Amino acid sequence: MYITEIIKQEYQKWNIGDCIFLEAPTGTGKTTFILKELLPFVKSLNMEILYLSNRFLLKEQIKKEIAEKQGLPTDLAWLESVEELDGITVISYQKLQLLCQQEGFVWEINRRYRYVVCDEIHYLLEDSAFNPEIIWLVRFLKDISSCLICISATLGELKEWIVWEKYGVNVRYMKWVRENDFFEYLMFPKRFTTPMTLIYTTIHSYTIPAHSVVEKVVYYAEQEQIIDAIGRSKLGEKWLIFQSNKSKAKELTKKLGDSAALITAEDRENDTIAEIIHEGKFSCKVLVATKLLDNGVSLKDSHLKNIIIDTISRTEFVQMLGRKRSLDLNDTVRLYIPKKSKKTFQGYLSPEMQETYDLVEKDFSPNEMIAKMLCDEKIYSKVRRFFTLEKGQLVKNPLAIEYYARQRKLVDKMITEFSSDEFAFIKEQLSWIDMEDTFNEKNFYTFQQQEDAISHIRDKLAELVGCELCQSEQEELRTFITERANDSRIRTQKGNRLLGKKAINELLQEYTLPFQIEGIYGKRKGEETFWVVKRREK
């Protein structure tokens, strides 16, 4: 299902001051709707769209799509140099943050643009942990009178926050809305007079449920298991690894060697980035990415079969997984997720993190804040992450409060659940993609290694059924089975010893493989003994 099928012609009735929510996963045509349906309509009215994006890669992909439709150059150098195209201006949230500090800028936006599209708007919340300038975007959303279109696959409670901050309407607590009906309520157009502006505003919300691209979820405990899995993967299979910690991403890329490429926010001239923008795929076997690639960008590649995600943020997790654009129902991936421990989450309650929570959650007087900054350089660096200075006063980013309240809630929940369940975080991650019912301890990577080894042994023996194996061929088969048994730990041989016929048959019987190796002995002393692989009756 595509978003255009749900909206139909309703967009022609959207007015100035309205708020539109488009919540749908990758591949449901959110961007296509804006460029193919809304943009031509806006141009027919002699009006314009302001299109906002949160990542360099997404911005350049959007501009490339527009340039192709308008017969303009699509090379990366030209795209980077242009923002204004026919009927639409494409800029980043980061640039908007700077422009909003200019007097009269919002008035100019209201005058020029009929629609403001906020693509991947969850950026406001996710980057509030380190970007205090987002406060300018919060004010921008409040002050613009253009029709506001908010797009994301993970809007979640951000819907409620936007409605409250922009319109002053707390729909959750209005008399005619039950507390748990908020999201159902927003599924239908609602018209009301806003307390802030005293004008009529209509909220429209369009939602498409996510279609999972995940064939199977594998759990891992150590980074070495990931490196091992990549080394064992089939020729031609590609891997996408999301690591939100930049130093860990660099370390992992180094360990993977020439088969891996790394992209971060600093690598805009990277050949891999150019491939993603122009082709929607990458040519290396393994791509390690930070938040530069965590949303908006579509990867259309049937060879991308494995995705590894390491984050404790539900929004980041869903966005990262959503980078895979499924080409058909059979185009699925194997998802790898970390186990993590109780100790990991206890680290989020360390004295240093408690200082962060206090700064965000508590209201200190100006004198108290100045005293803290003068006494501790670390406090000063944290203040710079959450506060901006305006007319000599420190102003806190309100979304930082939302971000850390959500993180603290998850941390408390995990610490409590780890007390009775060592797999608590695995189950939490599975719940983010509605797969909590699939949890099975056999999905740990060690079990996966064993399954793969058994599968390879089964396939090998199936090829050899009925064949008489001479001594050199016996040696080759023994080596094949011994190596896979050792690597997967289903059998361990000391030194260079190879499994013999008896040990192999015991292994086949233990893992219920329908094969048996029998010996054909020479009639005379010294004659060669052959092995024959036979199918064993059940």
Side-chain angles (χ1 to χ4, degrees):
M1 179 179 288
Y2 294 98
I3 203 77
T4 305
E5 298 173 52
I6 298 177
I7 297 174
K8 299 177 182 177
Q9 301 300 310
E10 290 181 20
Y11 65 88
Q12 298 181 11
K13 299 176 183 177
W14 297 346
N15 295 312
I16 287 176
D18 286 356
C19 187
I20 319 299
F21 294 113
L22 305 183
E23 186 169 18
T26 300
T28 51
K30 300 186 294 293
T31 305
T32 300
F33 162 73
I34 299 296
L35 302 185
K36 284 191 175 181
E37 301 292 334
L38 187 62
L39 180 56
F41 173 68
V42 172
K43 287 169 64 178
S44 73
L45 299 177
N46 221 12
M47 295 178 178
E48 294 182 80
I49 296 174
L50 176 62
Y51 196 107
L52 304 172
S53 70
N54 65 329
R55 298 280 183 259
F56 165 77
L57 268 177
L58 173 58
K59 177 165 62 75
E60 300 311 307
Q61 271 198 344
I62 295 296
K63 288 196 286 188
K64 178 178 176 288
E65 287 187 46
I66 300 169
E68 286 175 344
K69 289 178 173 61
Q70 297 184 356
L72 298 169
T74 58
D75 60 280
L76 189 55
W78 187 85
L79 289 174
E80 283 193 70
S81 68
V82 67
E83 292 176 342
E84 296 189 15
L85 299 143
D86 187 14
I88 185 168
T89 300
V90 183
I91 64 173
S92 66
Y93 287 110
Q94 290 85 349
K95 181 166 184 177
L96 182 65
Q97 289 165 189
L98 298 174
L99 293 174
C100 284
Q101 298 176 46
Q102 299 176 9
E103 190 173 346
F105 175 76
V106 175
W107 178 88
E108 176 61 22
I109 293 294
N110 287 330
R111 183 194 66 79
R112 180 175 175 182
Y113 298 104
R114 171 71 178 264
Y115 299 88
V116 173
V117 177
C118 298
D119 200 358
E120 307 297 352
I121 195 170
H122 58 269
Y123 158 81
L124 273 69
L125 187 58
E126 291 306 302
D127 283 23
S128 285
F130 56 84
N131 183 2
E133 300 299 325
I134 283 175
I135 193 169
W136 292 102
L137 299 180
V138 173
R139 291 174 183 170
F140 173 79
L141 292 181
K142 287 182 180 181
D143 295 340
I144 59 167
S145 59
S146 308
C147 179
L148 180 66
I149 302 173
C150 303
I151 302 177
S152 176
T154 50
L155 275 170
E157 295 178 356
L158 197 56
K159 278 185 183 179
E160 178 185 354
W161 185 87
I162 291 170
V163 173
W164 167 246
E165 287 292 324
K166 181 169 177 58
Y167 303 111
V169 176
N170 194 336
V171 293
R172 184 181 287 277
Y173 296 103
M174 296 178 82
K175 292 180 182 178
W176 31 268
V177 181
R178 296 199 308 275
E179 182 170 348
N180 294 324
D181 283 349
F182 174 73
F183 295 110
E184 289 183 22
Y185 166 75
L186 284 184
M187 288 300 294
F188 305 97
K190 288 290 180 275
R191 195 171 187 233
F192 52 85
T193 302
T194 69
M196 291 184 178
T197 61
L198 299 179
I199 62 171
Y200 282 116
T201 296
T202 305
I203 294 176
H204 301 260
S205 187
Y206 305 92
T207 302
I208 294 179
H211 166 68
S212 179
V213 298
V214 178
E215 173 194 5
K216 189 171 188 178
V217 184
V218 180
Y219 328 135
Y220 69 93
E222 301 171 351
Q223 190 183 81
E224 285 67 28
Q225 292 175 317
I226 292 302
I227 296 171
D228 183 70
I230 293 170
R232 294 171 181 275
S233 61
K234 295 178 182 177
L235 187 67
E237 274 193 3
K238 294 181 183 179
W239 293 70
L240 175 59
I241 304 177
F242 283 105
Q243 173 54 259
S244 50
N245 184 299
K246 195 183 302 180
S247 59
K248 288 183 179 180
K250 289 180 178 178
E251 178 189 343
L252 177 58
T253 307
K254 187 176 179 180
K255 287 182 179 179
L256 291 170
D258 295 337
S259 65
L262 170 67
I263 58 172
T264 66
E266 291 82 26
D267 300 323
R268 296 191 178 186
E269 301 299 322
N270 192 302
D271 290 340
T272 304
I273 289 178
E275 282 183 321
I276 293 171
I277 291 173
H278 290 282
E279 301 174 31
K281 59 179 68 175
F282 51 89
S283 57
C284 54
K285 181 178 179 65
V286 185
L287 179 62
V288 183
T290 57
K291 292 183 71 172
L292 174 71
L293 197 66
D294 68 353
N295 56 70
V297 176
S298 296
L299 294 170
K300 308 165 191 175
D301 189 351
S302 59
H303 295 290
L304 177 54
K305 292 296 183 185
N306 305 277
I307 297 179
I308 303 169
I309 299 177
D310 185 2
T311 179
I312 68 163
S313 165
R314 178 188 180 278
T315 299
E316 282 186 4
F317 185 98
V318 174
Q319 287 290 338
M320 289 169 173
L321 181 59
R323 295 317 95 222
K324 166 72 174 180
R325 174 76 66 88
S326 183
L327 301 176
D328 54 53
L329 293 176
N330 296 318
D331 187 16
T332 56
V333 297
R334 182 174 285 194
L335 174 65
Y336 291 76
I337 59 175
K339 180 186 177 186
K340 294 196 184 295
S341 64
K342 183 177 182 178
K343 187 176 180 181
T344 300
F345 290 92
Q346 286 174 330
Y348 287 91
L349 297 179
S350 65
E352 186 175 347
M353 280 302 301
Q354 191 58 54
E355 285 180 352
T356 300
Y357 292 134
D358 288 345
L359 276 177
V360 172
E361 296 168 359
K362 296 181 180 179
D363 291 322
F364 294 102
S365 69
N367 289 337
E368 285 179 308
M369 190 66 77
I370 291 170
K372 283 179 174 290
M373 288 190 290
L374 290 174
C375 293
D376 192 336
E377 195 172 307
K378 289 182 180 179
I379 294 290
Y380 173 67
S381 65
K382 288 180 180 180
V383 167
R384 293 182 63 186
R385 285 163 50 192
F386 310 125
F387 294 82
T388 58
L389 189 64
E390 298 176 36
K391 299 178 181 178
Q393 297 294 318
L394 289 171
V395 180
K396 187 187 300 181
N397 174 13
L399 275 171
I401 302 171
E402 295 283 331
Y403 177 91
Y404 279 104
R406 188 182 61 177
Q407 178 175 286
R408 184 70 172 266
K409 184 178 179 181
L410 173 67
V411 168
D412 290 344
K413 178 185 179 185
M414 287 296 96
I415 290 174
T416 300
E417 293 184 359
F418 266 118
S419 299
S420 57
D421 186 356
E422 65 174 301
F423 309 118
F425 186 57
I426 288 175
K427 294 175 182 178
E428 178 70 16
Q429 292 171 92
L430 291 173
S431 74
W432 295 343
I433 51 175
D434 297 323
M435 293 184 69
E436 56 266 47
D437 294 339
T438 67
F439 174 77
N440 190 324
E441 288 186 38
K442 289 186 177 181
N443 290 335
F444 270 97
Y445 182 67
T446 50
F447 287 102
Q448 293 301 311
Q449 286 178 288
Q450 292 176 3
E451 280 188 17
D452 290 344
I454 294 300
S455 177
H456 289 148
I457 293 170
R458 182 189 296 111
D459 292 344
K460 182 71 172 178
L461 292 175
E463 294 174 4
L464 298 175
V465 169
C467 297
E468 291 187 3
L469 306 181
C470 64
Q471 198 157 357
S472 63
E473 291 169 327
Q474 294 169 31
E475 189 86 2
E476 184 182 330
L477 179 61
R478 291 174 66 197
T479 301
F480 179 88
I481 294 176
T482 302
E483 285 179 351
R484 276 144 190 82
N486 282 338
D487 290 347
S488 63
R489 300 181 181 87
I490 57 176
R491 278 287 190 283
T492 304
Q493 289 291 93
K494 294 181 179 179
N496 296 320
R497 293 179 60 189
L498 300 178
L499 292 171
K501 179 165 64 70
K502 180 181 178 182
I504 291 173
N505 281 331
E506 288 175 354
L507 184 149
L508 298 180
Q509 192 162 6
E510 180 180 346
Y511 288 93
T512 62
L513 293 176
F515 304 99
Q516 184 170 328
I517 297 174
E518 296 182 0
I520 301 177
Y521 300 96
K523 294 181 180 179
R524 297 176 184 175
K525 188 176 180 181
E527 285 186 346
E528 187 174 8
T529 300
F530 291 89
W531 281 5
V532 178
V533 178
K534 294 185 177 181
R535 286 197 178 273
R536 181 162 43 85
E537 293 183 6
K538 294 182 179 180

